[in-house]
Amino acid sequence: MKRAPGWLARSLPWLLLLSLALFPLLAPSLDLDYYVGFIRHLLIVMMAATSLNFILGYGGMVALGHSGFVGVGAYTVVALVDGGVTSAWGAWLAAVAVAGAFAAVIGAVSLRTRGVYFLMITLAFSQMLHHLAVSLSAYGGDDGYSLHAPLLLGVGLDDAHPHVLYWVVLALAALLFTFSCRLAVSRFGYALRGIRDNETRMAALGYPIYRIKLAAFIGAGAVAGLAGALLASHNKFVSPSVMHWTESATLLVMVVIGGLGRRWGGPAGVALWLTLAEVLKLYTEYWRWPMGLLLVLIVFLAPKGVVSLFEGPRRAG
Amino acid sequence: MSLFSADGLFKHFGGLVAVDRVSFAVEPGEIHALIGPNGAGKTTLINLISGLLPLDAGRLVLDGADLTGLPPYQRVRRGLSRCFQVTSVFGADSVFDNLMLAVQARAGSSFRCLRRRAAEGSLRESALALAQKFGLDAALDRAAAILPHGDQRKLDVALALATRPKLLLLDEPLAGMGPEDSAQMVALLHRLRTETAILLVEHDMDAVFQLADRISVLDYGRVLASGDVASIRDHPEVQAVYLGTEASG
Ligand SMILES: Nc1ncnc2c1ncn2[C@@H]1O[C@H](COP(=O)(O)OP(=O)(O)OP(=O)(O)O)[C@@H](O)[C@H]1O
Ligand SMILES: [Mg+2]
């Protein structure tokens, strides 16, 4: 595939951001109102996917429990709202902190193992979290919990425009994405990839392997928690199904088809997956069949993720 | 006082005793060669000293600091570094990125995540200086995996030196090298002795006799003999076990 010229490649992200920012204003005249919510959801899932890509693609940690942290974030919001908290920022920040704390404990244990054992342990932890949520009858157990009172953004934002949450989500997603790009070319990003590629040598060079991996794991868990908190605000509803293991698996698949360890891998995978699902659902309720076939096709056509099709020969950071 | 001392190092794999109560010392500025037939336990010994394998028993002291039981990275901080018998570099990365990663390990925190590493001039300079020292400056942009074998060996040693060790453990740096590369590496190791003491595991006896201040001979995990070059060369037991087979083989 031909490579876009430098200036185009550099301005594309900004054009994308601009069109996303303008979309809610143009949507009514285009009769696309429904898709404002769709894109808002997409942006939130992208945050979770980007955080997973960080530990999975850059860190080589094949975790199959990432939706557990999404769930922890979402249920933190539920608990706070149930307790009378009304500040959105406060609730989201708390979700980040609580999910980070869970990731610290789970990571501290899981990162003592490797490969398939790591996968199993992260899966087991997220299953435990799922069961915990089911057992929380105060928050609706299996039926979930509806957030009746809306969380407030304050500073006059709440009544400014019906789509204000969209822009807040977009701003957070853009910030997070920018940060993840910078992280990838920082000392920490290089160290993490070094550990992925040759852990023994990194140990011999004097890197504290375990601590670096744990820091990455905690950061990714915290970001997933933010995604969960935003998801709670987005849906105004949370149920244990957000942290079902199949959600972790779907996230993982999205990252893989997008491009493992590539900066656009998370966003591209999420956009592709959710858009395909949305389109197929228009035609049939049995959309999972054609979806599976398409997935196989993508894996064969772009084994390194769809993003790799747009890359030059040199490895991107 | 010795720079480094190993005392009663012991390691077994199941029923096989790979390192059997080994004790030795390395003096400041010394190149201490460790020789012995295949399977004698040399690499295992280096793994024990660098901490990649846990000791069953024994004690390690470097420059007054007790290293026993420390994780590998803390041993590196206290001045220990090693290269690998089987070249261990970052194959997909360029030579420059390999060196940057090694230099970064020593220079400040690797938890920095907001600053672009490429903007850190001092790291860059250290990496380039290393490349020059090892004659790798022409290959900076090439992926490590596609370098000729000799250059890969040099890169492996360069990575180990990047952490600015007090004691450098070299596991057969000349393995598989042609005569030209070997000569370059020997000259380089000569120059390195002003920077660091070296524990040199090597099968190339010419190189060992040229470089070593002292030689220890390992056989079946035990130190068979230890002394200066002349005494080892003439040691009857050593000749029988090692030099003899080398000469006839
Ligand atoms: N991880 C391991 N598990 C079991 N046995 C091992 C392990 N590592 C080494 N050994 C055994 O320990 C003995 C010493 O091996 P080592 O690699 O230390 O020898 P060496 O002196 O480095 O040999 P060479 O000159 O061939 O490199 C050998 O018999 C080897 O098979
Ligand atoms: Mg060996």
Side-chain angles (χ1 to χ4, degrees):
Chain A
M1 197 154 296
K2 244 188 108 175
R3 210 177 165 196
W7 64 268
L8 187 61
R10 269 197 303 280
S11 48
L12 265 179
W14 295 106
L15 284 174
L16 182 65
L17 183 62
L18 186 69
S19 9
L20 283 172
L22 292 177
F23 183 65
L25 301 176
L26 304 175
S29 51
L30 299 170
D31 206 19
L32 291 172
D33 267 324
Y34 164 77
Y35 289 98
V36 177
F38 174 73
I39 292 180
R40 194 170 73 187
H41 178 232
L42 213 122
L43 288 167
I44 295 171
V45 181
M46 279 176 184
M47 290 191 225
T50 298
S51 71
L52 178 61
N53 196 12
F54 190 65
I55 52 170
L56 181 69
Y58 291 84
M61 297 170 243
V62 186
L64 188 52
H66 212 56
S67 67
F69 302 120
V70 176
V72 169
Y75 271 91
T76 304
V77 169
V78 166
L80 290 175
V81 167
D82 198 62
V85 169
T86 54
S87 160
W89 303 106
W92 295 343
L93 208 64
V96 170
V98 175
F102 271 81
V105 174
I106 292 173
V109 178
S110 327
L111 287 170
R112 303 207 173 266
T113 63
R114 300 269 128 80
V116 106
Y117 300 98
F118 178 76
L119 184 144
M120 300 273 289
I121 289 195
T122 49
L123 174 62
F125 273 117
S126 79
Q127 286 291 83
M128 278 158 59
L129 290 174
H130 179 254
H131 289 303
L132 180 68
V134 169
S135 71
L136 286 175
S137 50
Y139 304 139
D142 232 346
D143 298 331
Y145 184 96
S146 289
L147 299 150
H148 292 298
L151 284 167
L152 300 175
L153 293 160
V155 291
L157 282 174
D158 295 284
D159 303 317
H161 193 277
H163 287 313
V164 84
L165 181 62
Y166 174 97
W167 284 303
V168 170
V169 167
L170 177 61
L172 287 172
L175 261 176
L176 190 84
F177 183 69
T178 313
F179 173 63
S180 78
C181 291
R182 173 53 61 92
L183 196 56
V185 294
S186 71
R187 285 180 169 219
F188 188 74
Y190 280 107
L192 199 59
R193 267 170 291 169
I195 293 171
R196 173 195 70 190
D197 292 342
N198 191 343
E199 187 169 322
T200 307
R201 183 78 216 210
M202 288 297 277
L205 284 175
Y207 283 92
I209 308 287
Y210 177 74
R211 284 174 23 195
I212 290 177
K213 280 176 152 180
L214 185 58
F217 194 83
I218 293 172
V223 171
L226 175 64
L230 294 175
L231 215 50
S233 292
H234 167 82
N235 289 323
K236 297 191 172 57
F237 173 76
V238 175
S239 82
S241 64
V242 288
M243 53 175 107
H244 195 259
W245 74 271
T246 52
E247 294 295 315
S248 296
T250 307
L251 263 185
L252 199 143
V253 169
M254 290 193 281
V255 171
V256 170
I257 61 172
L260 262 184
R262 289 169 154 80
R263 61 172 67 170
W264 287 96
V270 172
L272 184 68
W273 177 274
L274 292 181
T275 308
L276 277 179
E278 195 68 23
V279 170
L280 291 174
K281 275 180 203 167
L282 290 178
Y283 295 101
T284 166
E285 62 179 294
Y286 304 108
W287 59 277
R288 285 175 197 278
W289 276 101
M291 188 78 171
L293 282 178
L294 279 172
L295 185 69
V296 172
L297 207 66
I298 292 171
V299 169
F300 272 101
L301 292 179
K304 291 181 175 169
V306 287
V307 174
S308 68
L309 299 177
F310 301 91
E311 275 169 5
R314 272 206 65 145
R315 211 172 84 146
Chain B
M1 199 184 76
S2 301
L3 171 74
F4 171 80
S5 67
D7 196 16
L9 305 187
F10 188 83
K11 180 75 189 177
H12 69 99
F13 300 109
L16 175 85
V17 176
V19 171
D20 193 2
R21 286 161 289 166
V22 167
S23 302
F24 66 96
V26 181
E27 306 305 323
E30 179 183 63
I31 296 185
H32 188 139
L34 190 64
I35 62 172
N38 292 113
K42 306 179 296 292
T43 298
T44 305
L45 192 59
I46 291 209
N47 286 337
L48 293 174
I49 299 173
S50 58
L52 296 189
L53 270 179
L55 274 169
D56 291 340
R59 204 168 107 91
L60 300 162
V61 176
L62 175 65
D63 209 8
D66 192 340
L67 301 184
T68 325
L70 292 183
Y73 76 93
Q74 286 186 8
R75 299 184 192 204
V76 176
R77 283 198 191 151
R78 283 166 181 70
L80 199 75
S81 189
R82 68 166 292 178
C83 82
F84 288 81
Q85 180 174 0
V86 179
T87 306
S88 178
V89 295
F90 303 91
D93 295 337
S94 68
V95 168
F96 179 70
D97 280 347
N98 269 268
L99 293 170
M100 285 289 272
L101 202 52
V103 167
Q104 173 193 330
R106 174 63 194 246
S109 169
S110 274
F111 288 92
R112 276 186 214 162
C113 54
L114 285 176
R115 188 154 175 222
R116 285 165 54 84
R117 191 182 72 175
E120 297 192 53
S122 64
L123 287 186
R124 228 187 126 72
E125 276 162 32
S126 310
L128 293 176
L130 262 179
Q132 216 152 40
K133 184 181 261 172
F134 282 81
L136 290 167
D137 30 359
L140 279 176
D141 291 328
R142 299 183 65 192
I146 61 166
L147 291 180
H149 177 77
D151 284 352
Q152 289 197 20
R153 296 302 297 155
K154 288 180 197 164
L155 181 58
D156 199 311
V157 178
L159 294 184
L161 191 69
T163 64
R164 284 187 270 131
K166 294 173 189 161
L167 176 65
L168 183 59
L169 313 172
L170 297 178
D171 198 352
E172 303 198 22
L174 303 179
M177 272 193 173
E180 199 172 316
D181 280 329
S182 278
Q184 281 176 18
M185 183 65 95
V186 168
L188 189 75
L189 295 183
H190 249 307
R191 272 178 276 139
L192 285 188
R193 72 184 337 133
T194 58
E195 290 177 41
T196 172
I198 295 175
L199 180 67
L200 174 69
V201 170
E202 188 47 68
H203 277 300
D204 181 336
M205 296 316 292
D206 289 339
V208 167
F209 289 144
Q210 272 182 62
L211 287 168
D213 301 302
R214 261 199 307 161
I215 302 176
S216 294
V217 185
L218 207 63
D219 191 30
Y220 291 110
R222 271 188 222 145
V223 179
L224 194 70
S226 189
D228 60 22
V229 173
S231 73
I232 294 298
R233 214 194 308 237
D234 302 333
H235 198 288
E237 225 177 327
V238 172
Q239 285 184 338
V241 167
Y242 190 56
L243 299 176
T245 55
E246 184 87 345
S248 62

